[in-house]
Amino acid sequence: MTKFMAFPTDFLWGAATAAFQIEGAWNQDGKGESIWDRFCHTPGKIGDGTTGDVACDHYHRYRDDIALMRQLGLKAYRFSISWPRVIPNGSGAANPAGLDFYDRLVDELLAANIQPFATLYHWDLPQALQERGGWGNRDTCGHLADYAALMARRLGDRVRHWATVNEPQVIAFLGHRNGEHAPGLEDDRLALQVAHHVLVAHGMAAQAIRGVNPQLKVGIVIDAWSVDALTDSEQDRALAETIWQNSAGWFLGPVFHARYPSRAWQMYGDSAPDIRADDMPLISQRLDFLGLNTYSRLAVKKGRVVKPVPGSEYTEMDWEIHAPALRRMLVRVTRDYVPPPIYITENGAAFPDAVSPDGSVHDPRRIAYLRDHFAQARLAMDDGVDLRGYFVWSLLDNFEWSNGYSKRFGLIHVDYATLQRRIKDSGKWYAQVIAQNGVEI
Ligand code: FCB
C-alpha cells in the first residue's frame, strides 16, 4: 500500500547548480580566471583530466535550460554567480558583459515563473585574489562584500534570496588542508584561518547586501552530515560528537552561537585562528534563512569511522545512502542552533546513468534516493523543523570538481560530446512530485 505525504502549499521545490560546474565560457566576454580554471589547467589535479572550459555550456544555453526547468515545473532555482565573470580581477572594475549575463538569466527565470536563489561564492575565487593570498588574506573578505553589494544593486530588484557562501567547510578544509580542491594547499593552520575569514566574509557580505536593500533575504549555505554512533558506548558517542563539532559544528557554532565549539577549539591548540574583537558579532548577525546541504552521514563504531557500513548501499561518490540521517540532522540543527527558516539547498545522488537506445535514461536508484529523502524531510517538519524548500542537486549532470565529469548527479542527462540534454526518469518523476506537491512512498 502506498501512502501519500503532502507538503505545505507554498513549499518551494527546486534544483541547484553552481556557475563553475555548468557555465563553461571560461575566458569569454571579459571573464577573468578563477582558481578553479587554474586548478583544472594544472595536470594531475582532476581525476579524469577534464576542465570546466566548456562544462555544460550553460552560458550559451541558459534559455534552453530554463525551458527544461519549466518542463519539470520547478518553483525555484538555486544558481551561483561567477565572481570573476562579473569582476575579472576580484576587486575593481566590473565586467558589463558578465553582469548582463546574470540579468538575462534572472529575467528568463522570472518569465518562467521560477524564483531565483543566488549564491555569491560557490568556490570560484578570482585567481587575481589568490595571487594576493586568497582566503588567507583578510582583505578578500572586504572584496567579497564589495562584490555582494554590486550584485545586490544589480539584481536585488528581482532576486530576493541571497546566500553569501557555499559550504565554508569544503572551501577551508578541501581547498587548504588536504589540497583536493582549488587552490590545492595543504596547511592545517591556514585552513582554520581560511575558515574564519570565510565566515567574516559572510558577515561582511550580509551587511553589504542589507546596506543596499534591507528587504533582501540573506542566508548562508552550510554542509551538514549527521554523525551517528552505531553503538551506545560512551566512547562512540563522544567520537561522533567530536567529529560533528569539527565539521558542521565548527561553522554553525560561530554563525548561531557567536563562538567556536570549545572542545574542538582546545584540540587545535596553536593552529586555532586569529580572531579580531568584532568578528563574532559580525559572523553571528541575524539571518533570514539557513541553507543546508546534505548527502549522507558518517557512522562511528568501536572508536572509528566505519566504511562501508555492513548492509548499506553507496552512491558513485562512495557516500552511504541513509535517508533517516537527513531527518536527524535537521532536528538536531533546529534543537541546537535555533536557526531561521531552513532550505535544503542541496541533496541528491550520483549514479552511473546510461542513455537507452530509445533515448531515455532510466535511473530508478536516484528516484528511490530522492523519494526516501523527501519523506524524511516531511517527517522532520512534523518534528517541528521549519523547512521551506528543497533544492535537488543537480539540475544537470555537470563538472563534479576534482572528479571531473565522471559523477552524474543530474535530473537531466548531459551528453558531453554533443551537449544534448535528456530529462532522466528521475526528472520526470520529480515533475510529478512537484505537480502533486507531495511524495508517494
Ligand atoms: C557539494 C557542492 C556541490 C556539488 C555536490 C555534489 O559539496 O556544494 O557543488 O559538487 O557537493
Side-chain angles (χ1 to χ4, degrees), residues 12 14-17 75-81 105-106 109 114-120 158-163 217 221 289-291 342-345 388-391:
L12 271 191
T17 62
K75 297 189 185 306
Y77 172 56
R78 172 175 179 244
F79 64 98
S80 80
I81 297 165
L105 178 75
V106 165
L109 287 166
I114 298 169
Q115 268 194 57
F117 273 57
T119 300
L120 287 162
R158 288 156 290 154
V159 177
R160 214 169 138 71
H161 289 84
W162 294 82
K217 304 270 186 205
V221 173
F289 69 93
L290 170 64
I342 296 176
Y343 293 88
I344 296 288
T345 33
R388 303 287 178 93
Y390 205 117
F391 294 82

Side-chain angles (χ1 to χ4, degrees), residues 62-63 66 70 77 79 99-116 154-159:
Y62 69 94
R63 278 206 177 85
I66 293 172
R70 195 181 223 158
Y77 172 56
F79 64 98
L99 291 167
D100 286 349
F101 170 68
Y102 293 106
D103 254 341
R104 294 195 303 273
L105 178 75
V106 165
D107 286 344
E108 192 79 13
L109 287 166
L110 293 175
N113 212 7
I114 298 169
Q115 268 194 57
R154 182 75 177 216
L155 303 177
D157 57 336
R158 288 156 290 154
V159 177

Side-chain angles (χ1 to χ4, degrees), residues 352-362 408 413-415 420 422:
D353 307 315
V355 181
S356 303
D358 68 356
S360 50
V361 181
H362 303 306
R408 294 180 176 274
H413 183 275
V414 177
D415 176 332
Q420 187 182 343
R422 293 181 177 92

Side-chain angles (χ1 to χ4, degrees), residues 17-18 21 78 122-123 166-167 170 174 181 221 223 225 293-295 317 319 345-350 393-394 398-401 407 409:
T17 62
Q21 296 179 273
R78 172 175 179 244
H122 201 126
W123 308 352
N166 178 72
E167 300 192 353
V170 172
L174 266 60
H181 278 194
V221 173
D223 46 322
W225 292 17
N293 293 352
T294 197
Y295 289 89
M317 295 294 282
W319 293 345
T345 33
E346 288 181 27
N347 173 251
W393 185 271
S394 178
N398 61 43
F399 180 81
E400 179 47 37
W401 308 111
K407 312 288 178 212
F409 274 92

Side-chain angles (χ1 to χ4, degrees), residues 101-380:
F101 170 68
Y102 293 106
D103 254 341
R104 294 195 303 273
L105 178 75
V106 165
D107 286 344
E108 192 79 13
L109 287 166
L110 293 175
N113 212 7
I114 298 169
Q115 268 194 57
F117 273 57
T119 300
L120 287 162
Y121 187 71
H122 201 126
W123 308 352
D124 42 359
L125 188 76
Q127 178 66 28
L129 293 184
Q130 189 61 42
E131 321 268 285
R132 292 189 256 153
W135 285 113
N137 179 350
R138 201 177 155 107
D139 292 346
T140 300
C141 307
H143 297 317
L144 184 89
D146 292 344
Y147 155 53
L150 172 76
M151 296 318 301
R153 278 196 296 272
R154 182 75 177 216
L155 303 177
D157 57 336
R158 288 156 290 154
V159 177
R160 214 169 138 71
H161 289 84
W162 294 82
T164 53
V165 297
N166 178 72
E167 300 192 353
Q169 185 177 183
V170 172
I171 300 167
F173 301 159
L174 266 60
H176 301 81
R177 182 185 277 162
N178 72 12
E180 201 184 300
H181 278 194
L185 302 175
E186 296 175 50
D187 178 334
D188 286 350
R189 180 166 155 70
L190 174 67
L192 289 168
Q193 192 62 55
V194 163
H196 184 65
H197 285 161
V198 171
L199 289 174
V200 170
H202 152 72
M204 289 173 63
Q207 279 188 336
I209 294 166
R210 288 174 166 153
V212 171
N213 179 350
Q215 307 295 331
L216 297 178
K217 304 270 186 205
V218 181
I220 187 171
V221 173
I222 291 181
D223 46 322
W225 292 17
S226 180
V227 188
D228 300 337
L230 299 186
T231 71
D232 247 351
S233 82
E234 191 49 45
Q235 183 200 23
D236 286 346
R237 280 193 284 136
L239 177 60
E241 185 57 21
T242 301
I243 295 174
W244 170 267
Q245 297 300 355
N246 276 304
S247 51
W250 191 257
F251 300 88
L252 290 163
V255 169
F256 295 108
H257 295 153
R259 58 183 150 74
Y260 286 100
S262 49
R263 230 180 338 145
W265 181 272
Q266 280 158 17
M267 275 174 42
Y268 285 130
D270 288 347
S271 295
D274 294 332
I275 296 181
R276 293 196 189 164
D278 296 333
D279 286 354
M280 298 321 276
L282 178 68
I283 292 171
S284 61
Q285 70 193 271
R286 179 190 61 78
L287 292 179
D288 299 298
F289 69 93
L290 170 64
L292 292 170
N293 293 352
T294 197
Y295 289 89
S296 181
R297 67 157 176 184
L298 293 179
V300 165
K301 192 175 177 177
K302 297 204 175 127
R304 57 179 192 90
V305 173
V306 263
K307 193 174 174 182
V309 174
S312 280
E313 284 186 48
Y314 283 76
T315 68
E316 271 284 279
M317 295 294 282
D318 215 10
W319 293 345
E320 186 190 359
I321 302 176
H322 189 76
L326 175 122
R327 178 185 184 183
R328 281 199 288 278
M329 184 278 288
L330 287 171
V331 167
R332 174 172 194 181
V333 168
T334 296
R335 183 196 68 202
D336 289 0
Y337 302 96
V338 198
I342 296 176
Y343 293 88
I344 296 288
T345 33
E346 288 181 27
N347 173 251
F351 293 112
D353 307 315
V355 181
S356 303
D358 68 356
S360 50
V361 181
H362 303 306
D363 58 341
R365 297 184 71 199
R366 182 171 293 102
I367 295 176
Y369 178 98
L370 292 173
R371 182 195 59 222
D372 293 350
H373 284 77
F374 293 168
Q376 293 293 327
R378 186 66 191 82
L379 292 172

